[in-house]
């Protein structure tokens, strides 16, 4: 496999000159792979880029991708990923700090997991065997660990414990090459949470391996002061975007319910009021259901599932009958149930509407399953 270690740098001249030889030594332990280092330098004033260029004469697999200016960690990685996947034709991308906080000796373990078939291998600080520097202040430890736990719950990815780790390996084919890198939500450190979520949605097999996160060797951290808030924003944005279909579906549901319930009572008390209560309840429910169904079909198609709109006429013709048949099943059940209830418990407003409502709730569960799995399912 062609493996490219992408290392963003900003003023890391002291670190990178020592890291490069150590890495190339480490690569010798895995001679069956073709290792390359791609340094993405944010035009460091300390001459990091220049130094890397000079070292290229001793290391032919060392590459430099100069950025015009420092544009954030996420921006540097996106730039580096594009170059590694395009020009360099990488099979695996590794993300790593330049400052020895990530131990080069862990690279074989990351790569081994990729060989075993994992698509996204995370060096994790928060699983058994992993650690953060004991010298860190309580506040920093708390923010780091707490941030990951928060992300875990909000995104609902429970097989991951470290969401902000900067040391990982990702498979290109079928995974990173399928991501739309233009739309990554942050140019800063928070790109990590977004990329992780996208890999997860892409169906990547994820594995965490424990790492000891060391103290920075030399120089200062470049982490932005607003990193914590930025990550929080990214995580919440992802959650809201993912929930949008469901929220809209609920709103449409209420519009449908309003139509359904209103029409049901109007028909029952004004139009079919002279007949048998049981028959009257059934007809009213069957008609109000049909009207409400049409209202929700239109709203769902043009609004809640607008990203999966049924546009082609063939799909529309195929889907409308499917929609009507599948949605009418719980309405038939409900109509029968409401009729049965008024006949058994008395023809009062309370009995009719309670039975009707129970039927609606059952229908809602039924419909969401059928709609999202069949009618508005994502087509790839
Ligand atoms: N080109 C470029 N542009 N490089 C950058 C930029 C930038 O804007 N910002 C940072 N870097 C480089 C640094 O020079 C370093 O090599 C690497 O990216 C990571 O930056 P650090 O300054 O070392 O970050 P950190 O050690 O504070 O943060 C670490 O822990 C975080 C989780 O707690 C990193 O591993 C992060 O990736 C991780 O999220
Ligand atoms: Mn670092």
């Amino acid at each position: 496999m062609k493996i490219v270690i992408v290392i963003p740098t900003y003023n890391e001249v002291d670190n990178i000159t020592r890291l490069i030889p150590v890495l190339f030594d480490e690569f010798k332990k895995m001679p069956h792979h073709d290792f390359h280092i791609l340094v993405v330098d944010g035009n460091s004033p300390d001459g990091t880029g220049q130094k890397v260029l000079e070292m290229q004469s001793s290391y032919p697999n060392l590459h430099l991708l100069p950025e015009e200016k420092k544009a954030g960690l996420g921006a540097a990685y996106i730039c580096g990923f594009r170059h590694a996947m395009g020009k360099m034709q990488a099979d695996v991308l590794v993300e790593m700090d330049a400052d020895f906080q990530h131990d080069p000796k862990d690279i074989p373990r990351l790569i081994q997991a990729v060989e075993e078939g994992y698509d996204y291998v995370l060096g994790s600080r928060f699983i058994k065997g992993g650690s953060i520097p004991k010298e860190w202040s309580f506040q920093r430890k708390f923010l780091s660990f707490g941030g990951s736990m928060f992300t875990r719950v909000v995104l609902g990815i429970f097989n991951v414990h470290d969401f902000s780790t900067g040391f990982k390996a990702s498979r290109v084919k079928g995974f990173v090459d399928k991501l739309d890198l233009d739309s990554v939500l942050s140019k800063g450190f928070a790109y990590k949470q977004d990329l992780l979520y996208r890999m997860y949605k892409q169906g990547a097999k994820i594995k965490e391996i424990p790492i000891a996160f060391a103290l920075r060797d030399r120089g200062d951290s470049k982490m932005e002061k607003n990193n914590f808030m930025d990550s929080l924003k990214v995580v919440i944005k992802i959650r809201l975007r993912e929930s949008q279909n469901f929220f809209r579906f609920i709103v449409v549901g209420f519009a449908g319910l309003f139509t359904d319930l209103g029409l049901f009572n109007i028909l029952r008390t004004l139009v079919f009021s002279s007949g048998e209560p049981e028959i009257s309840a059934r007809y009213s429910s069957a008609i109000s259901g049909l009207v409400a169904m049409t209202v929700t079909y239109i709203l769902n198609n043009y609004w809640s599932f607008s990203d999966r709109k049924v546009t082609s006429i063939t799909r529309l013709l195929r889907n409308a009958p499917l929609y009507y048949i599948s949605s009418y099943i719980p309405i038939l059940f409900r109509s029968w149930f409401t009729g049965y209830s008024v006949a058994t418990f008395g023809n009062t407003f309370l009995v009719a509407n309670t039975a009707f409502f129970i039927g609606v709730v059952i229908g809602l569960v039924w419909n969401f399953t059928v709609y999202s799995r069949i009618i508005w399912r994502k087509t790839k």
Side-chain angles (χ1 to χ4, degrees):
M1 289 191 297
K2 182 159 183 177
I3 300 168
V4 178
I5 319 282
V6 184
I7 308 178
T9 53
Y10 188 73
N11 287 347
E12 302 284 5
V13 71
D14 283 347
N15 290 318
I16 197 79
T17 45
R18 288 173 310 117
L19 182 66
I20 287 166
V22 175
L23 279 175
F24 279 111
D25 261 354
E26 202 58 44
F27 300 158
K28 286 184 191 142
K29 295 180 188 163
M30 294 165 283
H32 52 297
H33 292 304
D34 181 20
F35 279 97
H36 293 256
I37 296 178
L38 176 64
V39 175
V40 185
D41 184 56
N43 203 3
S44 306
D46 74 349
T48 304
Q50 188 53 40
K51 197 75 199 176
V52 171
L53 283 180
E54 286 164 22
M55 292 176 83
Q56 280 179 334
S57 52
S58 331
Y59 301 103
N61 284 4
L62 174 62
H63 311 261
L64 174 74
L65 184 64
E67 295 175 289
E68 248 169 59
K69 60 176 181 28
K70 181 180 189 294
L73 186 65
Y77 268 121
I78 299 303
C79 208
F81 278 10
R82 282 220 175 87
H83 187 81
M85 290 192 292
K87 263 218 173 77
M88 297 178 73
Q89 296 284 301
D91 299 305
V92 176
L93 304 170
V94 174
E95 290 165 60
M96 185 178 188
D97 279 15
D99 53 10
F100 286 95
Q101 285 191 283
H102 299 136
D103 188 349
K105 290 204 165 43
D106 289 334
I107 290 180
R109 288 195 299 140
L110 285 177
I111 300 305
Q112 204 187 330
V114 177
E115 284 174 334
E116 282 166 17
Y118 291 97
D119 309 304
Y120 204 35
V121 185
L122 314 177
S124 177
R125 299 162 295 174
F126 306 128
I127 56 172
K128 196 164 176 283
S131 62
I132 46 179
K134 57 181 187 314
E135 291 85 351
W136 275 11
S137 68
F138 173 76
Q139 193 202 350
R140 178 138 192 221
K141 282 180 184 159
F142 180 80
L143 285 183
S144 190
F145 179 70
S148 268
M149 288 307 114
F150 175 81
T151 309
R152 189 162 182 243
V153 172
V154 173
L155 297 185
I157 306 176
F158 293 105
N159 58 336
V160 173
H161 300 76
D162 190 344
F163 285 83
S164 58
T165 177
F167 198 20
K168 53 180 96 162
S170 5
R171 188 185 302 284
V172 171
K173 194 159 182 279
F175 297 95
V176 187
D177 62 356
K178 291 273 186 301
L179 302 179
D180 171 25
L181 296 176
D182 286 323
S183 61
V184 173
L185 290 176
S186 167
K187 297 225 173 302
F189 279 60
Y191 83 95
K192 284 170 206 298
Q193 284 82 9
D194 194 23
L195 227 53
L196 195 148
Y197 191 76
R198 289 168 188 231
M199 288 293 273
Y200 169 81
K201 285 288 270 195
Q202 203 75 250
K205 270 175 74 189
I206 303 180
K207 175 164 190 177
E208 285 187 298
I209 60 158
I211 58 158
F213 191 56
L215 279 175
R216 183 173 244 283
D217 209 46
R218 301 193 189 166
D220 305 312
S221 169
K222 278 81 191 178
M223 190 187 283
E224 309 102 343
K225 298 228 163 26
N226 66 352
N227 169 54
F228 189 75
M229 289 314 283
D230 195 24
S231 305
L232 214 67
K233 253 200 281 189
V234 165
V235 170
I236 288 171
K237 242 191 209 162
I238 296 172
R239 176 73 281 151
L240 288 179
R241 190 188 57 208
E242 291 302 304
S243 314
Q244 193 184 313
N245 281 344
F246 186 70
F247 280 137
R248 289 189 173 180
F249 181 79
I250 295 294
V251 171
V252 172
F254 273 109
L257 181 65
F258 190 74
T259 314
D260 204 356
L261 218 77
L263 201 58
F264 169 68
N265 283 300
I266 291 171
L267 291 173
R268 195 175 63 87
T269 52
L270 297 178
V271 182
F272 300 118
S273 53
S274 52
E276 276 280 303
E278 186 176 351
I279 304 297
S280 148
R282 273 185 200 155
Y283 279 141
S284 306
S285 157
I287 293 170
S288 70
L290 194 67
V291 174
M293 257 169 65
T294 306
V295 169
T296 52
Y297 186 63
I298 293 166
L299 286 177
N300 271 332
N301 196 42
Y302 288 96
W303 192 51
S304 21
F305 296 103
S306 58
D307 57 333
R308 329 175 192 175
K309 204 188 291 176
V310 181
T311 36
S312 82
I313 200 81
T314 44
R315 269 196 77 192
L316 196 77
L317 287 179
R318 209 180 59 210
N319 278 316
L322 187 67
Y323 171 82
Y324 273 94
I325 292 166
S326 84
S327 313
Y328 216 63
I329 292 170
I331 289 175
L332 283 178
F333 165 77
R334 175 189 89 185
S335 303
W336 167 82
F337 183 65
T338 311
Y340 169 82
S341 301
V342 293
T344 314
F345 304 108
N347 186 25
T348 65
F349 182 86
L350 189 70
V351 169
N353 282 275
T354 308
F356 186 82
F357 195 74
I358 292 172
V360 165
V361 172
I362 295 172
L364 204 71
V365 176
W366 166 282
N367 285 341
F368 187 72
T369 315
V370 176
Y371 294 173
S372 55
R373 295 232 172 121
I374 303 171
I375 296 173
W376 284 282
R377 75 164 178 275
K378 281 200 169 144
T379 40
K380 266 199 187 145

